[in-house]
Structure formats: structure tokens, C-alpha cells
Amino acid sequence: MTFGGLALPDSLELFTLDGLTALRALARGEERGVALFVPGFTGSKEDHRFLVALAAERGWESFSYSQRGQADSIAPRGIDEYSLQKLAEDTVTVAERIARGRRVHLVGHSLGGLVARAAAILRPDVFADLTMLCSGPGGQGPEHHTDDAAFVARHGTLAWWEHNNPLGARNEDEVFVRERAAASSDDNFLAMAAILRDAPDSSDELRETGLPVLVAHGDADDAWPIASQHAMALRLGARYEIIPNAGHLPNIDNPNYTTELLDGFWSSGEHKGES
């Protein structure tokens, strides 16, 4: 059964991996490799439902998962359980479980980009490349999250959602997001807000891994400073792309273009690792 009653593409399978809920789509036709999508702050596996399905149509076995404390994934108690190190270790564990001898194409959205970057630095041998989607160098995320964290500490994640949506849930997507806020861990929210505020820039460490990197964002991304994303790409020597007709969620706003961009990056000759 889908979480929050959200309609999912027919090609997606639901499963659980060590308490983390996940989506999977088998490659259509000849398999070309495996991809893993990591969601961002207040997100979940469903944020990448379209990319997982579309990438599978292009021959990539694709997965997304909800990080610990997100939606219906396992939610240990205590803010320390949501450190960047532990979140990155989860990413590595999931990648190793799905790899089956292949290197994994890793995509992290927003805060998920910081988690994915930390995972790539921790175990570069597991990954073929890294895409940071609407994500920056660290410590430069949306400033309002400090106030959001203070509100959640007092009232909880559901009250935070209701405060920001006084008209309530008016469609299927908003019903889902409300249910996700209700189910997600307050400790997760508080810890991730701190990561967005305090995570150091580890661009040099990422560059030293030798992994190919793609930095991409929507042309109207209003959540993470575009200038910092571009500067990070230059520092990394990364490929840099702007996704048209998209804001901070190109995975939702323009999934077809985003998938084509990823497909081209994953297929490019610059890769040293095995797909």
C-alpha cells in the first residue's frame, strides 16, 4: 500500500531495506546500470517517483528511499541519530545492497545532495558518479529553516505544516505532504535543519575522489542560492546544467528533461567507474 495514498507510476515496486522504505523500478529492455536517488529536507522516496520510473524506461534499474525519520521509514529517537555521518552511512548501505557488483549512479536532492556527497566521500568505490540536484556546498541552505526548527521544537512537524498551510490539504499531493509531515520525526527535522545550517564545504574532499560530478538546478530554484551552486560546480570541475521550467523540485516540475539530463550524464565517456 502506498504511503499517504499517493498515486505512483505502475512500474514502481515498494519494499523495505533495513527499516528504510524504498521504491524500485526494473530497467526496461537491456539494463544499462543502477541509479539511487536520495531525498532532501522534509522529503521522502516519493519525491523521486517520476525520475525512478522514467530512468527505468531508459534502461536504468532505479531506486529511491526515504531517509531515516522521513515518512514511513524507521525513526530512531534522538537528534544524534540523524547526524550527516549516519545519514551518509545509510546511503552507502542501501547502495551496496542494490549494487550487485555494479557501481551506483548517485543522485541527491537539496539536503540529500549533502548526504550523497558525504556518502561518495566515505565510499567512492561504491559509486560511478554523483549528481547534486538543487544542492550546494553546505552551510548555505535556506535561511528560514532556523525559524522552522524553533517552531518544530515547540509544536512538532504536523503543526509546522498546518501553520504554513492554513487552508489545509486541497488536493492529493497536499494530503500526501500533510501525512508525511505527521509521520516524520521531529528529531529528523531538527537535525537536518542543523546540517543545512552548519555542514562544512567538503568540495575539495569530493574532488579528490575522482568521481564525475554533475551540479544541476531548476532555472527558478528559489531555495538554494544559485550562485553558490554554480561556484561549487566550478570548484569541483563539475559539469553544470540549468533545468528549464523548474524551481527547487525539477524532479517534480520537469521530470522528463531532468531524466534526459541524467541519462546523458550517466552515459557519458567521462566515467572511470563501471556502470
Side-chain angles (χ1 to χ4, degrees):
M1 177 182 240
T2 62
F3 174 78
L6 187 68
L8 298 176
D10 292 338
S11 60
L12 299 188
E13 305 171 5
L14 292 161
F15 69 102
T16 302
L17 196 160
D18 294 341
L20 302 174
T21 59
L23 298 172
R24 173 195 183 194
L26 294 173
R28 186 84 58 85
E30 182 179 356
E31 183 186 299
R32 302 167 62 200
V34 58
L36 176 62
F37 295 86
V38 185
F41 184 55
T42 72
S44 63
K45 61 187 179 298
E46 290 83 4
D47 292 343
H48 292 123
R49 60 193 184 275
F50 301 128
L51 298 187
V52 169
L54 290 168
E57 290 179 3
R58 289 160 176 78
W60 306 99
E61 183 180 13
S62 299
F63 297 80
S64 66
Y65 73 98
S66 295
Q67 299 196 67
R68 58 172 64 194
Q70 292 182 332
D72 50 351
S73 273
I74 190 172
R77 292 186 178 181
I79 292 176
D80 291 345
E81 290 295 325
Y82 301 91
S83 67
L84 183 58
Q85 176 73 18
K86 290 189 175 183
L87 296 172
E89 289 172 354
D90 285 346
T91 300
V92 171
T93 296
V94 173
E96 288 183 316
R97 293 282 293 275
I98 67 175
R100 303 200 322 270
R102 304 163 293 179
R103 287 200 175 197
V104 175
H105 299 281
L106 183 61
V107 181
H109 174 255
S110 195
L111 179 136
L114 302 183
V115 174
R117 182 181 67 189
I121 293 169
L122 181 64
R123 287 291 307 278
D125 58 301
V126 175
F127 302 104
D129 51 54
L130 170 65
T131 297
M132 297 187 69
L133 185 62
C134 299
S135 185
Q140 297 183 46
E143 296 180 0
H144 64 80
H145 288 329
T146 299
D147 293 336
D148 291 337
F151 188 97
V152 167
R154 293 193 303 270
H155 306 293
T157 53
L158 177 58
W160 167 79
W161 186 90
E162 292 176 337
H163 174 74
N164 289 297
N165 297 273
L167 298 179
R170 295 166 293 176
N171 55 52
E172 180 188 74
D173 286 347
E174 290 181 357
V175 168
F176 163 74
V177 174
R178 182 185 186 279
E179 290 302 309
R180 181 169 65 187
S184 294
S185 162
D186 293 352
D187 289 335
N188 166 287
F189 189 109
L190 298 174
M192 286 190 167
I195 290 170
L196 283 170
R197 183 185 67 238
D198 300 330
D201 182 359
S202 56
S203 296
D204 291 342
E205 291 92 331
L206 177 59
R207 186 165 187 168
E208 288 173 3
T209 67
L211 290 173
V213 178
L214 167 64
V215 175
H217 59 79
D219 59 359
D221 187 354
D222 60 353
W224 205 299
I226 288 176
S228 72
Q229 296 184 64
H230 185 229
M232 179 183 68
L234 292 174
R235 184 172 178 181
L236 287 168
R239 180 174 170 181
Y240 175 72
E241 298 286 349
I242 298 174
I243 300 167
N245 304 314
H248 189 59
L249 293 168
N251 41 320
I252 302 294
D253 298 336
N254 197 347
N256 286 294
Y257 187 98
T258 304
T259 304
E260 291 290 348
L261 179 62
L262 292 171
D263 179 71
F265 176 59
W266 295 339
S267 305
S268 67
E270 62 193 284
H271 289 80
K272 299 177 183 178
E274 179 185 347
S275 295

